[in-house]
Amino acid sequence: MAATAQAQPNIALVKYWGKRDTRLNLPVTGSLSVTLDALWTRTRVELDASLRHDELRLNGAEDPATLARASACLDLLRQRAGTAQRARIDTHNNFPTAAGLASSASGFAALVVAADAALGLALDRQTLSMLARQGSGSAARSLFGGFVSMAAGQRDDGADAVAQPLLDAAAWPLAVVVAVTTDRRKQVGSGAGMERSRRTSPFYPAWVDGAAADLAAAQHAVRARDFAALAELSEHNCLKMHAVMQSSRPPLLYWDGATVDCMQRIRALREDAGEPVFFTVDAGAQVKAVCTPDAAPRVAAALAELPGVEQVLSSRLGEGARRLDDSEAP
Ligand code: PMV
């Protein structure tokens, strides 16, 4: 059996940075994200009884590191289906894979939806979200579209550490403009970075303590469609996460000069020109500007002219991961 699925990356406005269990990828705090529309991963999973090992191609090329993580995630679904059959995985991203654009979120979300269909499991969304989380914490959120909340959960088995939809994309249409800055490959991945922060940053306990209040305030702002409140809260939460990263030992400094220039430009656009826009930055140098759709072309133009910004991508908010017709296979 074979099946194809598509998922889009999501961008966190209230961040996940820290695990309470590294094996199950259980987050220590909840988070809140928006799922994008224009960027996607498409993945085809084909079970083949003649294969002795899983095979994976990412944008047409073999990728051993991604294969190992994908295989471990597939094992979780194979266990549920009671089969050991190996699979051929063909996956494509229509955006730069290693550029800090959350390709692991869309990748694992697409993988679990395709594998669920190929194995004939028909698991519910919450279970798929839980399985995607074990591949990459943020992937749990890409099962859903629009605005999405992710619970930290309390159970040791992680059954309650799942995402759920908060507000549809159509209910509050926003846009995300991504400024891709000079590409230095991420030196420390998010998993290792989170552990380093937990062990060494003096700010980590304060970060964890403040998370529930930030999440509740952001959920309230989203439900009320209160852009100014969401802007203030998201920038605060983002800079707080980076303060934790930067105060880790050795420090995690993901920014480059263009990152800071983009953040300053976005603040000036909002404060001086009255544009409805705010920034957020993840474990990389790219800056994501969240704005209203009518402001998006002006925000994109303002960021594109900054030195060090190599490319600007624009997206609306989109749907959660879904199965595609096999004719749309990558
Ligand atoms: O899901 P991971 O392991 O790639 O970690 C995501 C970490 C951040 O992107 C920095 C924050 C988030 O909530 O997405």
Side-chain angles (χ1 to χ4, degrees), residues 282-304:
D282 293 299
Q286 327 304 338
V287 177
K288 291 102 181 184
V290 181
C291 58
T292 56
D294 68 306
R298 295 189 294 276
V299 171
L303 295 178

Side-chain angles (χ1 to χ4, degrees), residues 10-12 14-17 19 25 31 69 104 136-139 141 186 190-191 194 241 245 281-283:
N10 68 78
I11 307 295
V14 174
K15 309 289 190 186
Y16 146 58
W17 192 256
K19 300 181 201 272
N25 253 350
S31 54
R69 292 180 70 190
S104 66
S136 163
S138 55
R141 301 184 305 235
K186 199 194 287 191
S190 52
M194 287 181 200
M241 176 183 75
M245 292 164 161
V281 183
D282 293 299

Side-chain angles (χ1 to χ4, degrees), residues 3-324:
T4 300
Q6 171 170 327
Q8 288 92 244
N10 68 78
I11 307 295
L13 305 182
V14 174
K15 309 289 190 186
Y16 146 58
W17 192 256
K19 300 181 201 272
R20 61 185 172 89
D21 180 310
T22 49
R23 191 179 59 85
L24 290 173
N25 253 350
L26 299 181
V28 74
T29 65
S31 54
L32 186 150
S33 61
V34 287
T35 302
L36 303 185
D37 181 32
L39 282 54
W40 50 249
T41 298
R42 284 185 187 157
T43 301
R44 182 171 191 268
V45 172
E46 181 187 12
L47 298 166
D48 184 339
S50 72
L51 289 179
R52 299 193 51 211
H53 306 282
D54 291 327
E55 292 176 1
L56 178 139
R57 285 179 173 274
L58 172 61
N59 292 337
E62 286 181 9
D63 186 327
T66 304
L67 170 63
R69 292 180 70 190
S71 261
C73 183
L74 275 187
D75 284 343
L76 303 171
L77 288 114
R78 281 189 282 244
Q79 262 165 31
R80 286 174 179 259
T83 176
Q85 258 190 71
R86 301 290 107 185
R88 193 171 290 115
I89 306 161
D90 194 11
T91 184
H92 284 253
N93 292 332
N94 76 337
F95 60 96
T97 298
L101 295 176
S103 54
S104 66
S106 50
F108 281 102
L111 179 67
V112 297
V113 171
D116 172 68
L119 289 161
L121 281 165
L123 296 169
D124 60 55
R125 287 266 135 180
Q126 301 291 302
T127 306
L128 290 173
S129 172
M130 188 187 75
L131 294 169
R133 186 206 70 230
Q134 293 183 59
S136 163
S138 55
R141 301 184 305 235
S142 277
L143 266 299
F144 302 100
F147 298 80
V148 180
S149 276
M150 169 85 192
Q154 290 180 339
R155 291 174 50 143
D156 289 342
D157 67 1
D160 54 354
V162 295
Q164 54 180 14
L166 181 62
L167 190 70
D168 280 353
W172 193 14
L174 293 181
V176 178
V177 176
V178 183
V180 180
T181 62
T182 332
D183 195 17
R184 240 183 324 115
R185 240 188 125 84
K186 199 194 287 191
Q187 270 156 23
V188 182
S190 52
M194 287 181 200
E195 278 305 283
R196 186 186 295 181
S197 292
R198 184 181 65 76
R199 287 197 318 270
T200 64
S201 169
F203 301 159
Y204 186 81
W207 161 251
V208 175
D209 282 353
D214 284 1
L215 182 59
Q219 286 170 336
H220 186 267
V222 168
R223 288 199 187 97
R225 289 24 158 217
D226 184 341
F227 190 90
L230 188 62
E232 194 280 331
L233 198 277
S234 300
E235 290 190 354
H236 167 68
N237 185 270
C238 165
L239 292 175
K240 211 161 49 169
M241 176 183 75
H242 283 276
V244 172
M245 292 164 161
Q246 290 168 19
S247 58
S248 301
R249 287 180 156 172
L252 298 161
L253 184 53
Y254 288 109
W255 301 346
D256 54 29
T259 312
V260 179
D261 290 342
C262 288
M263 292 192 285
Q264 297 287 26
R265 189 61 188 261
I266 290 165
R267 282 167 64 94
L269 282 170
R270 183 173 71 243
E271 285 160 17
D272 303 341
E275 295 285 11
V277 60
F278 63 87
F279 66 76
T280 191
V281 183
D282 293 299
Q286 327 304 338
V287 177
K288 291 102 181 184
V290 181
C291 58
T292 56
D294 68 306
R298 295 189 294 276
V299 171
L303 295 178
E305 71 184 28
L306 293 176
V309 173
E310 292 197 333
Q311 196 188 352
V312 174
L313 309 168
S314 288
S315 177
R316 297 291 192 94
L317 306 192
E319 302 304 311
R322 64 204 166 278
R323 191 174 173 187
L324 294 180

